[in-house]
Amino acid sequence: MLGHTRGKRSAVTCALKCDNACSKAVCNTSANSYFRDIVSAEFSRRTALGAGAAGVLGAAVLALSGPATTAAAAPPGRGPKAGRLAFTPIAPVDAAVDSFDVPAGYDWEPLLRWGDPLFADSPEFNFGAQNAAAQARQFGYNNDYLEILRQPNGKKGLLVCNHEYVNPEIMFPAAPASAAEELERRNIFRNAVGMSVVELERSNRGKPWSYVRGAKLNRRITLDTVFELTGPAAGSDLLKTAADPQGRYVSGTLGNCAGGSTPWGTVLSGEENFNGFFRTDGTSAEDKRYGLGSEATAMGWEQEDPRFDARTPETRNEPNRFGYIVELDPEDPESVPRKHTSLGRFKHEGANVIIARNGRAVAYSGDDERFDYLYKFVSKNKYRKNDKRHNMTLLSEGDLYVARFAGNSPESEIDGTGAVPSDGGFDGRGTWLPLVVRGKSAVAGMSVEEVLVYTRLAADKAGATKMDRCEDVEPNPATGHVYVACTNNSNRGVDGKAPVDEANPRRENRDGHIVEIIEARDDATATDFRWNLLMLCGDPAQGDVTYFSGYPRDKVSPISCPDNLAFDSAGNLWISTDGAPSGIGYNDGLFKVGLSGRERGRVEQFLSVPRDGETCGPVIHDEESMVFVAVQHPGEDGSYGAHTSYFPDYVPDGGTPGRGEVRAPRPSVVQVFT
Ligand code: FEO
Ligand code: CA
Ligand code: CA
Ligand code: CA
């Protein structure tokens, strides 16, 4: 085993991306007890799986097909279309190999790379001489969430993506030559995170895209871009600082990880590991619960930007202004992006929206921290077709819930090995516990503002179920069923930490699992649900105890550490991974998973990303036989001048260092096509 996570996640990733969250004390020390509710046979696995697609399509929203597209309810009773995108699964690629692999018959090329010039006046990327002004006008680093919106004619598109963090050790030589150079680097990093919006064009459907330099909608969001806070906590004392005495506007967004695309054409992005950018007293219960510490930060921005030093009365609330779901309208380059306090503050992986049958917007979001929680927001107001201005207010007002799971098998059968209980599945019922309802706090002793700013503490009090790191949480547009990627939790069941439970059934869960949630009456606004585990990930060939909903273990691609989720038009689930399977380690990949009938639980690997990289932001346009991924932190375990990856500018025969101009890895968005 390499380090404290499964497979190949490196110490570099842990330090730069998550502020070493996994090697520090667990943030959630609440005494939240394990909740178990033995329920009757009506909630058996057969029933849970059999509810299936029929009858719930009215609640679903079809995938976006273009910037102006709005949600359309699919006709009830019509099953998913047969998907295209036929492929023969690739074999897993050894982690020592630096290559990007796709199935036979497919080709790939980068669409946008770190440093690509986005505007007419943008300097060309110059790897050896990068500067902050250039970076602000170029594509950012470590792309994560990705959306490709298409106009109806298929020839124009709009790419939206976020940039989570930077890898200084492979961007620059080890030591800056001077204090001035060190400051310039910090400024480059500030301009390399955030978000990008870039127009695309191509000759026809199914053909690879090119990005349009200098296009009207191209935009960079950096730490200097102003965001407006919305919802009940906006303007509250908890969000006021000396620089923003009204508590209503925040410069920039941080730690943007996964996201989601709304039915009204905007893009959501989750502020995840924001804590690592702030230096605080580190003494309050709130600081501790959010992993805020007193050490100097890895980025060091507190040296010249006082807001990252939260140890003064003037800046104490600065960290309270990050940790939200942000919403960006990519069609309006002048728009002020928003931070929605109604969805709570935690390490949001992302958020995904579905329109319920009664017209309310329902957003699901996970808190990616060991033993943290799964949340659901239900809008007060209803979605209106073709009214983007109205729909952009939906996430500003509504009810917030947190999930509690109860299993239906005896505790003795959930023994921590991953062995399937005697009723044939890991399953049970769940409850959405209220945190804020009809504008009022549902948590004793906490105001609405406190619930929305210190959401983790509110959820502790409510008695939520501690999960194995919820990453992407996404409703399937074809069925309304919700999928939760629990990426891993090596602390599950050890050292007096929370024990295994039926929803998190493996001790030292290093490979992760996928939860399937079926809302009561297939109503996305319901306050109770049924659930089951779609799979326990791992590599059966290496003896891992795995479960694939009964699909033969010897016929699946090994998969570990599920992270981002997406769906194709046939309703298949696609999973990208962050942490390859098992001891020898494979490169991360993208996997297709069947959800219904005989295909349920069948895992097939579609692509593999380069050495040290993570597969992010999958976008599946199966009707065009195209797939897009954001390749994050390729070559992250290398160093400047001794790189472990030369992605994406390989010479045609692969392998050896790139085409001459950039002899270093560049995080990039890749398009795969036939
Ligand atoms: Fe940034 Fe939860 O992965
Ligand atoms: Ca069970
Ligand atoms: Ca992620
Ligand atoms: Ca997703």
Side-chain angles (χ1 to χ4, degrees), residues 422-492:
S422 60
D423 68 352
F426 303 93
D427 58 348
R429 287 194 307 187
T431 309
W432 293 107
L433 306 168
L435 299 177
V436 173
V437 176
R438 289 185 291 281
K440 295 198 165 51
S441 169
V443 181
M446 293 181 82
S447 66
V448 170
E449 292 89 343
E450 287 168 335
V451 170
L452 297 179
V453 174
Y454 301 126
T455 310
R456 283 182 166 183
L457 289 96
D460 293 343
K461 289 190 172 195
T465 296
K466 296 176 177 178
M467 304 297 290
D468 286 350
R469 291 186 53 198
C470 298
E471 299 256 20
D472 214 350
V473 183
E474 192 148 342
N476 185 346
T479 62
H481 299 176
V482 180
Y483 295 82
V484 185
C486 291
T487 194
N488 62 57
N489 181 355
S490 55
N491 270 14
R492 173 65 67 178

Side-chain angles (χ1 to χ4, degrees), residues 43-45 407-410 413-414 420-428 502 531:
F43 294 105
S44 70
R45 174 172 177 275
N408 66 6
S409 291
E413 293 187 5
I414 309 299
V420 180
S422 60
D423 68 352
F426 303 93
D427 58 348
E502 198 162 343
W531 64 268

Side-chain angles (χ1 to χ4, degrees), residues 575-619:
I575 302 174
S576 64
T577 62
D578 173 18
S582 288
I584 61 163
Y586 297 127
N587 282 332
D588 274 314
L590 176 66
F591 303 80
K592 174 188 172 186
V593 185
L595 294 178
S596 58
R598 285 189 188 165
E599 292 294 296
R600 184 176 170 86
R602 181 180 188 179
V603 181
E604 298 173 284
Q605 184 165 2
F606 181 79
L607 62 76
S608 175
V609 300
R611 189 168 173 182
D612 308 340
E614 171 182 342
T615 321
C616 295
V619 173

Side-chain angles (χ1 to χ4, degrees), residues 504-568:
N504 301 275
R506 276 194 305 202
R507 191 176 301 112
E508 298 181 55
N509 180 13
R510 290 179 179 271
D511 289 306
H513 58 274
I514 304 283
V515 185
E516 181 180 63
I517 289 175
I518 301 166
E519 299 277 21
R521 302 169 299 284
D522 291 315
D523 173 4
T525 70
T527 52
D528 59 319
F529 57 87
R530 292 175 290 130
W531 64 268
N532 69 90
L533 300 192
L534 172 69
M535 68 171 78
L536 298 178
C537 303
D539 185 353
Q542 294 190 29
D544 291 351
V545 175
T546 55
Y547 168 74
F548 299 97
S549 286
Y551 199 86
R553 290 188 173 98
D554 59 344
K555 293 189 170 61
V556 300
S557 298
I559 181 172
S560 181
C561 304
D563 192 337
N564 299 140
L565 307 177
F567 297 93
D568 62 27

Side-chain angles (χ1 to χ4, degrees), residues 8 95 97-101 108 587-588 608-614 631-635 644-648 650:
K8 66 174 182 54
V97 176
D98 178 33
S99 65
F100 189 98
D101 293 83
W108 68 274
N587 282 332
D588 274 314
S608 175
V609 300
R611 189 168 173 182
D612 308 340
E614 171 182 342
V631 178
Q632 202 188 56
H633 59 78
T644 56
S645 175
Y646 293 93
F647 167 85
Y650 300 115

Side-chain angles (χ1 to χ4, degrees), residues 52-54 56-57 62 74-83 476-480 567-572 595-597 622:
V56 301
L57 289 166
L62 295 178
R78 202 175 73 190
K81 299 189 294 279
N476 185 346
T479 62
F567 297 93
D568 62 27
S569 68
N572 295 300
L595 294 178
S596 58
D622 52 307

